[in-house]
Amino acid sequence: MCGIIGYIGLPDRTKNVLYSGLKSLEYRGYDSSGLCFIEDNETRVVKSEGKLENLNKKLNKHKINSSVGIGHTRWATHGKPSEINAHPHTSGPISVVHNGIIENYSELKDELIKKGYEFYSDTDTEVIAHLIHDFLNSEFSFEDSVRLAFERIEGSYAVAILNQNEPDKIIATRRFSPLIIAQNENECFLASDIPAIIPYTNKVIYLEDNDYAILNADEVLIKDMDGNETTREVKIINLDPVMVEKSGFRHFMLKEIHEQPRAVFDTLRGRISESMDSVIFEELDLGFLENINRVVVVACGTSFHASLIGKYMLESIAKINAQVELASEFKYREPVLDSKTLLIAVSQSGETADTSEALSEAKLRGVKSLGITNVELSKISREADYVLHTKAGPEIGVASTKAFTTQVLVLYLFSVFLGLHKKSISKKIARQLIKDVISATKLQQTVLNLDGEIKELSKEFYHYKNFIYLGRGVSYPVALEGALKLKEISYIHAEGYAAGEMKHGPIALIDESMPVVFIAPDDEVYYKKLLGNFKEIKARGGRIIFITSNEEIVKMLDKDDRKIIIPKCSNLISPLITTIPVQFLAYHIANLLGTDIDQPRNLAKVVTVE
Ligand code: AGP
């Protein structure tokens, strides 16, 4: 995934802008990093393995007096995390940083080796530096060498390039991977994402696919790959830098769990009619939804789990045929889509390659599309026909929490909106559904007060090596989500199952060493069935954590079992409530195990490669 940054301007700002920029992009990859500067027509490269702090220790030994530099924080795709494989990569006067995957790098590498270029890393990126250097050696200008090189390169990339013989500029280009540029007086910036630029300006330009930009200290030129100048709209970003701080919490994840009532409130704001019996989505023109008789939702990871909950809502409220697909599988399958299908792409970052590729595939086939993302102006926001934004605010912790609940909320509101539009529900039912969801913020606040209790409970469970999470109906995806959260941040193996599925195999795993977490809000439909599954597990010696609003359960628990009592709520909004205890459980277990909760190993917040 990686994060790239570039700066040209005032020498006394270069090092700080680059290093703090990388710090704010660290959620995109954190297994190694590097920076390079041009000083006295010499390229100075500083790289290190591991966290950015390691790079900072090295940087502190360097007095840097340069007005231009580029940097990179890495999530390894080609070549293991190491100092050699860390970016920038160089060839002669050229140095490059890259986010993405060069798909034809091995054939280009073979060609360049035949020409005598020596490769020192296992990365695909090093090819870019040698290829540009090769065109330079053929007497092409720096700009033309970059253009000609990217005519040959296939794959996804956001790249920044320096030439030590032309220290007055940075050239940058992108295809599929995000790249933003910005300008202030006497200085220009480029980065993979907003947090690296927002401390300096909120006016940014999103480069489009196959654009390249030439950044000088006082000018930015944008061109297409034929060298023709083009212009891109300057976008104003409404992001308060304070929102990306920990505000006294030990981890971003814990802060973001506690922010959920505010995130739900902000996402609800302006969405409910004064008469409280309809949902307002000015972004959507109803004509767009005419004739839609099927919804296909594509997403990955936590967003996939939120989408699975959305399926229950779309079916039971809007009475529409709804399917949820893993985006990474969807594009390469032969999905049957037609003009009556609506494709919904759900993504916190709006940049996930698997999901944006599934969206592009559907668009190619003339299918209407709706994006649900948490990042305005993200790729999916810009490419979907219509977009609904969750208002969770910046989510920094790699393990998604508040974005999940706001995605579930928007899918709920969209189901009511569609249900009213298709007359599958009355205003009376809509009023009740809206009343239920408005109560969610208060109920969430109550559940947040369980933080301390779940912290204590976790002390009894953090030593287990495996966990099973069970739920039925809308709680089944919450079980999947609970298991994912625990896996992601504590590295403990965990599986989520539909509780009814246990007797068809997984129940063989049950013994006293396998804790089972039940997500069992007391509802009319599933609770009784779940009690049956509870007894099946108890009969085989399983140890249980029971999350429910039915206090009666206490009588059925053994001394080693534990309960987490949550407030009563309607079945369809229960995921907004039941998800918080499983987030806390994962958080406190990981905290006891001392793992890197905000930046778990092997993960990154934004997955921009397929
Ligand atoms: C969730 O905690 C993970 N970070 C991951 O599964 C994530 O949900 C997935 O990569 C999808 O990301 P997106 O919502 O930004 O598309």
Side-chain angles (χ1 to χ4, degrees):
M1 275 45 92
C2 314
I4 73 170
I5 182 111
Y7 175 78
I8 182 162
L10 313 164
D12 59 354
R13 276 165 64 85
T14 309
K15 184 176 156 188
N16 291 338
V17 169
L18 293 175
Y19 183 75
S20 55
L22 285 184
K23 196 81 196 124
S24 68
L25 293 174
E26 206 176 6
Y27 63 88
R28 303 176 65 86
Y30 32 82
D31 59 39
S32 52
S33 59
L35 291 172
C36 74
F37 309 86
I38 300 178
E39 220 170 318
D40 313 327
N41 282 69
E42 286 293 315
T43 304
R44 300 188 50 198
V45 177
V46 186
K47 304 201 280 187
S48 82
E49 188 180 344
K51 287 293 180 78
L52 269 174
E53 286 71 33
N54 301 347
L55 180 70
N56 202 23
K57 288 193 198 102
K58 289 189 173 183
L59 277 174
N60 292 339
K61 298 190 193 107
H62 292 257
K63 179 146 182 22
I64 294 171
N65 177 24
S66 165
S67 60
V68 64
I70 55 177
H72 185 271
T73 181
R74 187 172 188 236
W75 187 90
T77 56
H78 297 70
K80 65 180 174 41
S82 67
E83 189 169 327
I84 285 284
N85 289 333
H87 300 202
H89 286 291
T90 60
S91 178
I94 297 298
S95 37
V96 300
V97 291
H98 165 226
N99 162 213
I101 288 182
I102 307 301
E103 282 160 9
N104 62 338
Y105 88 99
S106 61
E107 71 202 59
L108 292 171
K109 186 172 180 175
D110 298 345
E111 238 181 73
L112 289 158
I113 289 172
K114 287 200 191 82
K115 286 187 172 180
Y117 290 91
E118 283 174 20
F119 281 70
Y120 56 84
S121 78
D122 310 319
T123 67
D124 53 338
T125 303
E126 192 186 344
V127 158
I128 303 173
H130 292 308
L131 195 56
I132 295 170
H133 186 195
D134 187 45
F135 282 109
L136 274 180
N137 287 340
S138 316
E139 309 305 321
F140 288 99
S141 71
F142 177 26
E143 181 182 344
D144 288 348
S145 299
V146 171
R147 260 183 340 96
L148 292 165
F150 282 94
E151 270 171 21
R152 304 267 340 262
I153 288 169
E154 290 158 22
S156 63
Y157 52 78
V159 175
I161 308 137
L162 288 184
N163 177 350
Q164 71 184 29
N165 302 327
E166 298 188 30
D168 62 335
K169 62 174 68 74
I170 306 175
I171 300 186
T173 184
R174 66 153 296 201
R175 187 193 293 157
F176 301 141
S177 301
L179 193 56
I180 296 165
I181 52 180
Q183 188 178 4
N184 261 347
E185 207 175 336
N186 305 323
E187 57 185 4
C188 285
F189 310 81
L190 67 87
S192 296
D193 201 353
I194 295 288
I197 289 182
I198 201 76
Y200 314 106
T201 173
N202 67 342
K203 296 187 190 66
V204 302
I205 293 174
Y206 285 79
L207 283 192
E208 295 297 335
D209 280 349
N210 304 317
D211 282 353
Y212 69 93
I214 303 170
L215 287 72
N216 304 107
D218 46 22
E219 183 197 35
V220 174
L221 269 182
I222 301 175
K223 298 185 177 185
D224 62 26
M225 269 304 163
D226 300 324
N228 309 315
E229 269 195 50
T230 179
T231 55
R232 297 291 176 215
E233 191 189 346
V234 176
K235 307 266 183 185
I236 307 296
I237 303 295
N238 306 320
L239 178 65
D240 173 350
V242 174
M243 292 176 83
V244 286
E245 281 153 17
K246 282 190 195 143
S247 315
F249 286 91
R250 183 141 181 254
H251 293 100
F252 279 109
M253 182 182 179
L254 188 61
K255 174 197 172 208
E256 288 156 6
I257 293 175
H258 280 273
E259 281 183 330
Q260 293 182 93
R262 193 268 317 143
V264 164
F265 181 82
D266 286 355
T267 304
L268 264 176
R269 195 203 318 267
R271 295 299 190 195
I272 308 296
S273 63
E274 264 174 47
S275 53
M276 306 287 282
D277 59 7
S278 65
V279 170
I280 303 166
F281 282 140
E282 271 135 13
E283 305 91 319
L284 305 182
D285 79 58
L286 293 175
F288 161 64
L289 294 172
E290 254 1 279
N291 308 327
I292 293 291
N293 64 9
R294 177 169 164 243
V295 171
V296 174
V297 189
V298 292
C300 304
T302 288
S303 298
F304 175 74
H305 297 151
S307 304
L308 282 175
I309 296 170
K311 172 185 167 67
Y312 290 85
M313 295 164 169
L314 286 162
E315 288 176 344
S316 60
I317 298 174
K319 311 276 183 271
I320 193 164
N321 172 357
Q323 255 170 274
V324 180
E325 304 281 352
L326 283 170
S328 53
E329 283 296 313
F330 182 79
K331 177 176 177 180
Y332 300 101
R333 258 195 25 235
E334 293 294 320
V336 179
L337 305 169
D338 61 27
S339 61
K340 293 199 171 96
T341 303
L342 169 67
L343 183 115
I344 302 182
V346 180
S347 171
Q348 186 285 129
S349 61
E351 299 287 350
T352 300
D354 290 325
T355 310
S356 64
E357 283 303 302
L359 171 65
S360 310
E361 178 65 21
K363 289 194 68 171
L364 269 180
R365 300 163 63 163
V367 171
K368 291 176 181 162
S369 61
L370 169 67
I372 296 179
T373 83
N374 193 45
V375 180
E376 299 197 14
L377 302 169
S378 60
K379 184 172 171 60
I380 288 174
S381 292
R382 286 179 284 126
E383 294 195 357
D385 298 321
Y386 290 86
V387 62
L388 297 174
H389 287 117
T390 54
K391 303 286 182 191
E395 191 175 67
I396 308 293
V398 167
S400 182
T401 53
K402 59 179 181 174
F404 173 79
T405 39
T406 56
Q407 287 164 347
V408 169
L409 174 63
V410 167
L411 286 161
Y412 181 94
L413 295 172
F414 181 69
S415 301
V416 175
F417 180 84
L418 197 57
L420 282 168
H421 178 58
K422 291 192 165 296
K423 301 194 174 22
S424 54
I425 55 170
S426 65
K427 286 266 180 183
K428 184 163 170 284
I429 292 175
R431 193 170 294 115
Q432 183 55 51
L433 290 166
I434 288 167
K435 192 159 164 281
D436 291 345
V437 80
I438 288 175
S439 69
T441 50
K442 266 212 206 66
L443 299 173
Q444 285 188 323
Q445 203 52 58
T446 312
V447 180
L448 287 175
N449 301 335
L450 295 171
D451 189 350
E453 178 187 325
I454 298 174
K455 182 176 179 181
E456 287 312 305
L457 180 153
S458 302
K459 292 176 181 163
E460 298 176 59
F461 287 89
Y462 75 99
H463 59 285
Y464 285 98
K465 297 287 175 265
N466 298 284
F467 277 71
I468 283 184
Y469 289 70
L470 298 179
R472 279 180 176 258
V474 287
S475 298
Y476 161 43
V478 177
L480 294 173
E481 180 56 13
L484 177 62
K485 288 283 101 60
L486 190 68
K487 281 184 268 200
E488 278 189 280
I489 62 173
S490 74
Y491 316 147
I492 294 174
H493 175 242
E495 291 302 332
Y497 287 103
E501 198 49 27
M502 283 298 283
K503 55 188 176 293
H504 303 292
I507 199 163
L509 296 168
I510 299 301
D511 60 21
E512 52 292 334
S513 69
M514 175 68 84
V516 178
V517 181
F518 272 87
I519 292 108
D522 184 5
D523 60 41
E524 314 72 47
V525 185
Y526 298 105
Y527 188 72
K528 289 202 177 47
K529 293 281 174 232
L530 259 170
L531 281 185
N533 305 124
F534 163 76
K535 294 192 181 105
E536 287 158 10
I537 303 290
K538 284 314 298 173
R540 289 155 181 84
R543 185 173 184 198
I544 289 181
I545 299 174
F546 208 89
I547 301 172
T548 185
S549 45
N550 183 321
E551 309 231 15
E552 292 301 301
I553 189 68
V554 178
K555 303 189 193 101
M556 300 162 74
L557 295 175
D558 294 347
K559 65 177 180 36
D560 293 335
D561 297 332
R562 294 289 173 270
K563 63 169 181 19
I564 297 173
I565 301 299
I566 54 169
K568 217 171 168 23
C569 62
S570 80
N571 172 42
L572 281 177
I573 66 145
S574 64
L576 299 176
I577 313 303
T578 55
T579 306
I580 297 177
V582 296
Q583 293 166 344
F584 275 142
L585 185 65
Y587 174 81
H588 288 302
I589 287 177
N591 209 22
L592 288 163
L593 294 169
T595 60
D596 191 333
I597 288 172
D598 281 341
Q599 295 176 344
R601 70 185 184 198
N602 303 343
L603 291 181
K605 181 70 183 171
V606 185
V607 185
T608 54
V609 292
E610 281 188 81

